[in-house]
């Protein structure tokens, strides 16, 4: 995650080198709480796809 101006956060996709997306929405300008929740969801999806 990257901190942005005005206390908002962007979730970053390291594999694609761009802002992460969930359900077709870029995960930018999010509160810290929502950014952390999105990271948890995306990490579960990523780990689930490896097994």
């Amino acid at each position: 995650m990257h901190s942005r101006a005005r206390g908002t956060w962007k979730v970053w996709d390291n594999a694609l080198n761009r802002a992460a997306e969930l359900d077709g929405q870029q995960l930018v300008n999010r509160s810290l709480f929502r950014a952390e929740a999105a990271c948890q969801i995306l990490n579960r999806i990523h780990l689930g796809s490896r097994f």
Side-chain angles (χ1 to χ4, degrees):
M1 288 187 316
H2 296 280
S3 177
R4 297 187 43 108
R6 302 179 318 275
T8 62
W9 292 79
K10 171 175 36 177
V11 180
W12 194 254
D13 186 326
N14 287 327
L16 299 175
N17 199 33
R18 65 178 187 206
E21 292 184 9
L22 189 59
D23 196 28
Q25 299 292 316
Q26 280 194 333
L27 300 173
V28 298
N29 298 324
R30 306 289 189 219
S31 68
L32 178 59
F33 175 80
R34 290 192 178 269
E36 288 177 334
C39 281
Q40 290 175 357
I41 292 167
L42 292 170
N43 284 329
R44 283 188 211 152
I45 292 168
H46 176 72
L47 290 175
S49 69
R50 296 170 74 186
F51 298 102

